[in-house]
């Protein structure tokens, strides 16, 4: 089907918005997409037929390449007619098989719609009408879309194309006169789509595992951008796996808790590990360091010098900052409208930011054009000015952004470390900020249909009710001032990095066999298991939908199937990380002295008669001294 002007306009707007929002977009294995012939890419250009009722909307939607789908039709051939016409014209039809956008730690559902569309096309292509229109064999290409930080400005995105899914045998089954065989073919294709999407994305059983693996990744690759986006998905999934499956290492028990504590405190303090690790905070800045220099005055001079070094190039960004300030402000406002929906935050940031950016640069264009009396030459000069300003902005924003974060982190850390101890948050008040915040469950999705291995720790459903019995998630109080958290953050950083280093060292020395995702390790054996349909609202436990209590398949359930196990030795996992630039061994950090100071100050306080709180023999915590 031919695309009209609106399609080009939408593509141009999308490219501009994506280029502005993301620092880097990495496309992998694009050669897997055929150069010609019909292609079904599993990502969504379908639209409900009701949207086409208005003549104006219909003209724009069709011109932009949207395909009407009448989901109320009981005749699949009729429902997918627009899809067939597009594929028969050797076009690429994109579709999101999950049915909706959501924020979850894994792929939660894959709908049958994509499978029905693909197999109905193969059936139609073999019909008299399809042969007459010259319909060619269809290529179904799964696509994984992964973000380094979905809602963060200037983050990265990875789009990886998988290999085409073979439809030949499934098409034969689908053409069967037996409806049960045809439906089975649809389910098999849906499972193949799901398996491919799982290999192309990062999937964890629960939020805690995902948060812990993210924090471990940030500690192993401290500098932003150090981990190549080509390796990002494989590295992230490997970290998820080592925190998911049972592990014989003794240090395994505490490492996840240490990582989660540090991750939560960083978020509460509005800091990142990369910003802290880049700070110029040598031991000589320690206020308890037994040396006359630097004094508090020289310490301030050092910080001012570091500040000047950070902000030196910033004046060169003053004009782009002024131009784009409205976009920054409105983007933040748009994100705050949906604070519990990460995917909608990103959408709002892009939409709000694009609208204000277009308005700002549009104003510049009209102002410059007016200066040249609305002449054709003036229009050319105004367009050139807008293009140069926007290009300059894109080339300088990343450096400015990094310097700004480093500058804010430096002052926050110094103020927190040098401030009086009474500023420190007490243990009781701190506890809620050491627990990761779990997003509320999405009511529009089904539970996963993938089997969960028996040696995996199965998470319980996150509770969404508060103490009053309300179904709404309990909101946290307003975030505390960062100065009250800094010592806690720095101590948590030291504990987390040391715990991770000890765990990885034990993993390398003991080199046990560790279960990993099937596509990352050496295949070995199989296990029979039914589908896991999701969480029971009554018991908050995962239920096997396809297996009865006696271990036999229940009537009408999905049949059990063999899933391949895969393993790697601990040494192989460590080599995998090292080969991709991971900093395995714990290095004494420039800010470790601040964490140590927190501990020593706590002990000092206890000796002076103030009460120290011990949560257990191995973890020492403290409360701030009375004012």
């Amino acid at each position: 089907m031919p695309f009209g002007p609106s399609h080009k306009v939408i593509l141009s707007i999308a490219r501009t918005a994506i280029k502005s929002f993301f620092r880097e977009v990495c496309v992998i294995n694009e050669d897997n997409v055929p150069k010609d012939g019909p292609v079904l890419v599993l990502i969504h250009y379908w639209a409900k037929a009701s949207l086409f009722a208005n003549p104006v909307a219909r003209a724009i939607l069709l011109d932009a390449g949207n395909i009407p789908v009448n989901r109320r039709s009981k005749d699949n051939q009729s429902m997918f007619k627009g899809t067939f016409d597009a594929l028969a014209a050797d076009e690429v039809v994109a579709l999101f098989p999950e049915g909706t956008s959501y924020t979850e730690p894994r792929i939660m559902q894959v709908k049958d719609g994509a499978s029905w569309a693909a197999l109905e096309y193969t059936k139609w292509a073999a019909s008299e009408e399809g042969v007459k229109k010259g319909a060619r064999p269809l290529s179904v290409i799964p696509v994984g879309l992964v973000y380094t930080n979905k809602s963060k400005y200037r983050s990265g995105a990875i789009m990886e194309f998988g290999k085409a899914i073979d439809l030949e045998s499934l098409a034969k089954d689908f053409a069967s006169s037996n409806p049960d065989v045809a439906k089975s073919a649809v389910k098999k294709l849906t499972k193949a789509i799901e398996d491919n999407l799982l290999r192309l994305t990062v999937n964890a059983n629960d939020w805690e595992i995902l948060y812990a693996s993210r924090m471990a990744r940030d500690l192993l690759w401290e500098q932003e951008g150090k981990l190549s986006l080509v390796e990002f998905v494989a590295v992230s999934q490997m970290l998820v796996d080592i925190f998911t499956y049972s592990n014989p290492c003794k240090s395994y028990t505490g490492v996840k808790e240490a990582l989660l504590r540090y991750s939560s405190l960083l978020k509460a303090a509005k800091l990142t590990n990369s910003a802290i690790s880049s700070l110029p905070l040598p031991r000589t800045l320690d206020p308890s360091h037994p040396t006359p220099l630097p004094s508090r005055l020289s310490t301030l001079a050092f910080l001012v010098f570091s500040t000047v070094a950070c902000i030196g190039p910033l004046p060169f960004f003053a004009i782009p900052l002024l131009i784009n300030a409205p976009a920054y402000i409105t983007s933040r406002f748009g994100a705050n409208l949906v604070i519990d929906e990460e995917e909608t935050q990103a959408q709002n940031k892009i939409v709000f930011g694009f609208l204000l950016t277009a308005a700002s640069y549009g104003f510049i264009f009209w102002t410059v054009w007016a200066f040249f009396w609305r002449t054709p030459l003036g229009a050319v000069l105004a367009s050139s000015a807008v293009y140069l300003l926007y290009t300059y902005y894109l080339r300088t924003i990343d450096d400015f952004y990094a310097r700004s974060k480093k500058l804010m982190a430096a002052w926050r850390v110094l103020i927190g470390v040098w401030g009086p101890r009474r500023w420190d948050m007490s243990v009781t008040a701190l506890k809620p900020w050491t627990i990761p915040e779990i997003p509320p469950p999405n009511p529009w999705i089904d539970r996963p249909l993938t089997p969960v291995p028996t040696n995996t720790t199965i998470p319980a459903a996150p509770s969404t009710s508060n103490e009053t019995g309300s179904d709404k998630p309990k909101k946290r109080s307003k975030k505390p001032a960062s100065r009250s958290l800094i010592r806690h953050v720095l101590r948590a950083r030291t504990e987390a990095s040391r715990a991770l280093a000890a765990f990885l060292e034990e993993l390398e020395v003991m080199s046990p066999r560790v279960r990993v995702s099937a596509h990352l390790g050496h295949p070995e054996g199989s296990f029979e298991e039914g589908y896991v349909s999701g969480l029971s609202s009554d018991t908050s436990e995962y239920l096997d939908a396809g297996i009865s209590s006696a271990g036999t398949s229940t009537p009408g359930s999905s049949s059990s199937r063999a899933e391949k196990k895969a393993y790697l030795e601990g040494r192989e996992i460590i080599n995998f990380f090292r080969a991709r630039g991971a900093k395995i061994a714990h290095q004494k950090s420039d800010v470790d002295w601040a964490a140590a100071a927190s501990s020593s100050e706590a002990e000092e306080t206890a000796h002076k008669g103030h009460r120290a709180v011990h949560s257990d023999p191995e973890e020492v915590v403290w409360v701030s001294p009375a004012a």
Side-chain angles (χ1 to χ4, degrees), residues 42 97-98 102 106-112 114-115 140-144 165 186-203 446-452 519 530-533 558 561 563:
L42 300 178
E98 295 172 74
Y102 54 83
R106 59 170 293 133
I107 290 177
M108 301 297 288
Q109 64 181 20
V110 176
K111 299 289 189 178
D112 291 333
S115 300
V140 176
I141 309 294
V143 181
I165 298 175
V186 171
K187 293 296 182 182
K188 288 178 181 178
L189 180 54
T190 300
K191 179 58 176 63
I193 292 170
E194 183 184 30
D195 288 345
N196 278 271
L197 292 179
L198 287 171
R199 282 196 291 269
L200 298 170
T201 53
V202 181
N203 296 273
D446 301 324
R447 295 298 98 185
L449 295 179
T450 53
V452 179
H519 62 287
Y531 282 104
V532 173
S533 64
S558 302
R561 63 188 188 280
E563 290 289 339

Side-chain angles (χ1 to χ4, degrees), residues 104-145:
E104 293 288 344
R106 59 170 293 133
I107 290 177
M108 301 297 288
Q109 64 181 20
V110 176
K111 299 289 189 178
D112 291 333
S115 300
W116 280 109
L119 293 175
E120 286 286 1
Y121 172 81
T122 63
K123 184 177 180 179
W124 174 84
S127 69
E128 183 178 348
E129 182 184 0
V131 173
K132 186 181 297 184
K133 289 189 175 183
R136 301 168 65 184
L138 176 66
S139 298
V140 176
I141 309 294
V143 181
L145 190 58

Side-chain angles (χ1 to χ4, degrees), residues 21 150-152 335 338 341-351:
F21 187 84
K150 186 183 292 186
S151 60
K152 181 183 176 183
V338 283
E341 301 176 19
E342 189 178 9
E343 69 281 355
T344 310
Q345 285 185 37
Q347 294 170 11
N348 283 5
K349 282 185 178 181
I350 291 178
V351 172

Side-chain angles (χ1 to χ4, degrees), residues 269-304:
K270 299 178 182 178
L271 291 169
T272 64
N273 182 68
S274 61
I276 292 179
S277 64
S278 65
L279 295 181
L281 300 176
R283 175 74 190 195
T284 52
L285 292 187
D286 183 356
S288 63
H289 195 262
T291 179
L293 289 177
S295 62
R296 289 185 181 268
L297 182 61
S298 60
T299 299
L300 180 62
F302 177 87
L303 183 57
V304 169

